[in-house]
Amino acid sequence: EVQLVQSGAEVKKPGDSLKISCKISGYSFTMYWIGWVRQMPGKGLEWMGIIHPLDSDTKYSPSFEGQVTISADKSLNTAYLKWNSLTPSDTAIYYCARHSGSYYDFYYYGLDVWGQGTTVTVSS
Amino acid sequence: SYVLTQPPSVSVAPGKTARITCGGNKIGSKSVHWYRQKPGQAPVLVIYYDTDRPSGIPERFSGSNSGNTATLTISRVEAGDEADYYCQVWDSNSDHYVFGIGTKVTVL
């Protein structure tokens, strides 16, 4: 069974750093792009970026470029989302999800398997 | 940046047909995906590549895409279809995905 299991909820203070994880099982980690999606309280879905674990090629939404870092560790079958300095506006649920399809045509297939979400709360 | 337009809400009676639109400039030339999200749950892919259904998604869910509008159609609506629905496309000009704002489907 394909599973994306995310790390647990986090409560942080403004200015803190944070790295959340998404551990993949049930398929070869290096086959598919992994993406991150933000959902602020009561709001819609926002696509943040993706990484291909094979070569760590990464694409960011312009809204998130420079604000977060997406990475992957092939040895651990795990993708990460990192902040260097959190602000209250980073309070949200963050989902990882698998982009099915090949390295070059993933955009034809959508996000077919999702993690359960990680709730991040940033408050002083 | 590419913009997708969805109606904020759609209401439909049980057994009827719900149509949720997703507008965008020449969206017919792009591949559109649709997601369903129920409260407190992660989104679920219900349509990809305009018209294809992932395994496990009922045939009541169908999609179309032409010109400047893509449409998700839910036939024979059930109470369990009540959820937020999001469209998504890849913006090849800027190399990133875009989501619509989401449409809340209410079953009367």
Side-chain angles (χ1 to χ4, degrees):
Chain A
E1 180 190 7
V2 175
Q3 285 192 310
L4 280 62
V5 178
Q6 298 186 230
S7 50
E10 301 275 2
V11 179
K12 293 291 187 181
K13 295 190 182 308
D16 283 352
S17 63
L18 175 64
K19 191 175 188 179
I20 62 175
S21 64
C22 173
K23 184 167 177 63
I24 280 75
S25 62
Y27 73 95
S28 175
F29 183 50
T30 56
M31 279 190 68
Y32 300 110
W33 294 83
I34 294 291
W36 288 92
V37 175
R38 181 175 79 174
Q39 188 166 39
M40 299 175 75
K43 302 298 184 183
L45 305 176
E46 299 175 89
W47 186 84
M48 301 176 71
I50 51 173
I51 187 166
H52 201 291
L54 182 66
D55 59 4
S56 290
D57 187 18
T58 310
K59 304 178 191 292
Y60 291 94
S61 163
S63 300
F64 292 95
E65 181 130 38
Q67 309 305 309
V68 297
T69 302
I70 295 171
S71 62
D73 187 328
K74 287 186 286 189
S75 67
L76 297 177
N77 286 355
T78 302
Y80 300 96
L81 181 64
K82 179 183 176 183
W83 295 260
N84 288 329
S85 181
L86 289 160
T87 70
S89 63
D90 293 316
T91 295
I93 299 173
Y94 293 87
Y95 294 100
C96 63
R98 184 180 80 168
H99 286 267
S100 59
S102 76
Y103 189 100
Y104 296 106
D105 68 0
F106 62 90
Y107 44 84
Y108 287 122
Y109 297 92
L111 296 154
D112 68 336
V113 184
W114 292 67
Q116 82 276 21
T118 295
T119 299
V120 174
T121 304
V122 184
S123 174
S124 54
Chain B
S1 188
Y2 194 79
V3 176
L4 295 173
T5 303
Q6 294 184 242
S9 62
V10 166
S11 297
V12 59
K16 299 299 186 182
T17 298
R19 294 180 179 85
I20 306 158
T21 58
C22 178
N25 185 35
K26 299 180 183 177
I27 196 173
S29 65
K30 301 182 182 297
S31 179
V32 179
H33 316 307
W34 291 92
Y35 302 87
R36 175 185 66 205
Q37 187 181 31
K38 297 183 179 181
Q41 298 183 17
V44 171
L45 181 67
V46 294
I47 292 288
Y48 67 96
Y49 200 1
D50 298 341
T51 61
D52 291 349
R53 275 178 291 104
S55 60
I57 300 301
E59 290 183 7
R60 301 186 297 105
F61 288 81
S62 62
S64 63
N65 185 19
S66 178
N68 292 320
T69 305
T71 303
L72 172 68
T73 300
I74 311 172
S75 304
R76 302 182 299 285
V77 165
E78 304 172 354
D81 297 328
E82 195 163 272
D84 294 323
Y85 291 83
Y86 297 89
C87 58
Q88 181 196 38
V89 301
W90 180 258
D91 181 4
S92 55
N93 288 335
S94 49
D95 235 18
H96 68 274
Y97 263 121
V98 177
F99 280 106
I101 63 167
T103 298
K104 183 176 181 61
V105 170
T106 299
V107 181
L108 300 171

